[in-house]
Structure formats: structure tokens, C-alpha cells
């Protein structure tokens, strides 16, 4: 059973371009989280999704950022018109439904650098 | 909403000495509590978790954490650290009664001194 797969591992974008980060959850997992990690700031929650449904997007900036978790395929975190401040490590995690007493399993992260 | 406080951003400790990494969470009727570890340039791995039952939980590599409801704490301890324990440690909490996100603390960087 493969773990959570994120790609790419490293992504370089120029200011104004779009960044697409992909996350394939563990097999059988129905819930996906996206977190952003900046040095000295820990993990900041961005968005929590179930297939075809956004459960909580309270941590996601209102502009330029969007996320989806379609019925088929990976979850996508999309950042439009990237700026230098978007440079960070973005981690995806997946889990079974919370009522099943389970923890979240993390991917290796995508390190986004905006130049 | 839940929140997690890790008071120490960095903890230096000599090899083979004991260590405690502190974690406090905002009160709730019930919680799930987790400690995750992040080695350099890697994702987070679950170290141990408290869901219910015994308040003392242990990991396979010698760490333990104790759930203290009255103090709303879940401190992580190890009686004797090894150089390979150098990593960042994150405490996390979730609410089992709601379909809710896992909230993380800011992390504590453990430096093992030779």
C-alpha cells in the first residue's frame, strides 16, 4: 500500500505564473488535508477536503488559491499568479473519516520556490 | 476552535540525557492527541497518539507521552536521547466528535548535543 504521494517534490515558478501541486492519498482514504510550512512557523492548515467536497477552507487565502479533490484522480492545490511570499513547503495528508479513530498520513511535500 | 501551544521552539539536550517537549491544547470535552516527527527534508511521521483509554502512550523508539486532562497537556518525554532523535516534533489535536481538521502546534526543534 503506497503512502501519500505528492508531486512534484520541487517546483520553481516565476512571479505571476501558476503552480499546481498534486496529492494522491493513500488507497482507501477519503479525506485530504493541505498544510503550508514556513520556517519557524510550523504547519499552517489551509484546507480540508473530502471527495468532491470542501469541508473546511478557513486557512486558505481568499484570492489566488484553490483546492479540489475530484471523484477520480489526485487532489490539486492550485496557486494562481504566484508571488515570492508563496515560497514554502506544502504538505498533503490523507486519512480515513475522523470517526474511524485514525491519524493523518503525510506525503513528502512539495517545495515551491517563486523567483 | 481547538488550538495547540508548544512553548519551546528549540530544545538543546546532550546525548543520553532525558528530554521533555511540552504541549498544551485548548480545552474540549474530548480530544484526540498526536505527536508527529519531521526529519530534515521529509514529511511528517506519526510518533504516537492518544485516542482513549490509558493516558500513557508509547512509541516503538522509546518516546512516551501522557495525556493530562486537568492540565490540558500532552508532553512528550524520552529518558535517554540519541543523536538520531534530532528532528522537529509537532503536537497536534483533533476533535473526535466533529468531522474536523487536525490542528498542529508550531513545532519544537530538538538538538542533540554530542
Amino acid at each position: 500500500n503506497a503512502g501519500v504521494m505528492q508531486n512534484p517534490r520541487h517546483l520553481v515558478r516565476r512571479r505571476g505564473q501558476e503552480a499546481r501541486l498534486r496529492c494522491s492519498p493513500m488507497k482507501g482514504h477519503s479525506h485530504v488535508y493541505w498544510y503550508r510550512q514556513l520556517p519557524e512557523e510550523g504547519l499552517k492548515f489551509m484546507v480540508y477536503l473530502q471527495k468532491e467536497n470542501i469541508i473546511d477552507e478557513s486557512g486558505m487565502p481568499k484570492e489566488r488559491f484553490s483546492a479540489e479533490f475530484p471523484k477520480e484522480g489526485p487532489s490539486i492545490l492550485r496557486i494562481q499568479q504566484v508571488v515570492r511570499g508563496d515560497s514554502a513547503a506544502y504538505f498533503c495528508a490523507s486519512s480515513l473519516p475522523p470517526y474511524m479513530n485514525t491519524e493523518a498520513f503525510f506525503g513528502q511535500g512539495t517545495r515551491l520556490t517563486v523567483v | 476552535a481547538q488550538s495547540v501551544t508548544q512553548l519551546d521552539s528549540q530544545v538543546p539536550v546532550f546525548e543520553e540525557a532525558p528530554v521533555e517537549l511540552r504541549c498544551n491544547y485548548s480545552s474540549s470535552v474530548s480530544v484526540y492527541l498526536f505527536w508527529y516527527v519531521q526529519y530534515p527534508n521529509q514529511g511528517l511521521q506519526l510518533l504516537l497518539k492518544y485516542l482513549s483509554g490509558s493516558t500513557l502512550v508509547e512509541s516503538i523508539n522509546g518516546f512516551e507521552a501522557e495525556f493530562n486532562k486537568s492540565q490540558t497537556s500532552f508532553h512528550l518525554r524520552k529518558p535517554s536521547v540519541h543523536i538520531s532523535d534530532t528532528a522537529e516534533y509537532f503536537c497536534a489535536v483533533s476533535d473526535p466528535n466533529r468531522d474536523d481538521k487536525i490542528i498542529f502546534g508550531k513545532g519544537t526543534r530538538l538538538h542533540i548535543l554530542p
Side-chain angles (χ1 to χ4, degrees):
Chain A
N1 187 9
V4 178
M5 303 299 292
Q6 287 188 252
N7 67 81
R9 290 291 307 275
H10 300 275
L11 181 62
V12 179
R13 284 287 178 267
R14 295 186 186 280
R15 279 179 295 171
Q17 290 185 318
E18 178 179 284
R20 280 188 180 231
L21 287 62
R22 293 175 184 77
C23 170
S24 296
M26 285 181 68
K27 187 176 181 180
H29 282 188
S30 56
H31 289 59
V32 164
Y33 307 78
W34 283 96
Y35 292 87
R36 176 163 63 179
Q37 185 177 33
L38 290 164
E40 313 304 326
E41 291 191 18
L43 278 169
K44 293 279 192 181
F45 167 77
M46 298 183 73
V47 63
Y48 177 32
L49 309 107
Q50 199 176 8
K51 279 190 184 290
E52 300 184 284
N53 180 38
I54 296 176
I55 300 172
D56 184 342
E57 57 182 348
S58 59
M60 202 145 71
K62 293 288 186 286
E63 297 178 353
R64 302 189 298 109
F65 285 73
S66 62
E68 62 176 6
F69 187 18
K71 187 176 180 182
E72 301 290 338
S75 175
I76 305 288
L77 178 67
R78 184 181 175 208
I79 311 173
Q80 295 177 291
Q81 299 174 334
V82 295
V83 301
R84 287 247 170 89
D86 297 332
S87 296
Y90 292 83
F91 287 95
C92 167
S94 73
S95 73
L96 294 167
Y99 60 80
M100 295 183 73
N101 294 351
T102 183
E103 71 270 21
F105 293 82
F106 280 79
Q108 296 290 294
T110 294
R111 280 157 181 81
L112 172 66
T113 302
V114 179
V115 297
Chain B
Q2 287 283 3
S3 65
V4 178
T5 302
Q6 291 182 250
L7 289 171
D8 305 305
S9 59
Q10 295 190 55
V11 172
V13 62
F14 286 103
E15 198 170 11
E16 298 184 6
V19 69
E20 178 179 84
L21 306 183
R22 295 180 292 170
C23 172
N24 289 89
Y25 61 94
S26 56
S27 63
S28 176
V29 176
S30 58
V31 290
Y32 290 158
L33 293 157
F34 310 88
W35 275 99
Y36 283 82
V37 58
Q38 185 181 30
Y39 298 104
N41 299 314
Q42 294 189 26
L44 277 72
Q45 305 171 34
L46 181 71
L47 190 59
L48 46 76
K49 62 183 177 182
Y50 169 79
L51 303 179
S52 64
S54 173
T55 57
L56 185 66
V57 291
E58 298 175 349
S59 72
I60 57 173
N61 56 353
F63 282 93
E64 64 178 31
E66 185 161 18
F67 168 54
N68 188 320
K69 190 173 182 179
S70 62
Q71 296 185 5
T72 60
S73 69
F74 191 56
H75 301 329
L76 182 69
R77 301 183 183 95
K78 189 170 184 179
S80 175
V81 296
H82 189 266
I83 195 76
S84 61
D85 293 324
T86 298
E88 190 148 20
Y89 292 80
F90 292 92
C91 183
V93 63
S94 69
D95 185 337
N97 297 314
R98 299 172 55 197
D99 190 6
D100 206 357
K101 55 189 177 284
I102 299 175
I103 300 295
F104 285 83
K106 290 195 172 183
T108 298
R109 191 155 294 172
L110 181 59
H111 292 286
I112 309 299
L113 306 171

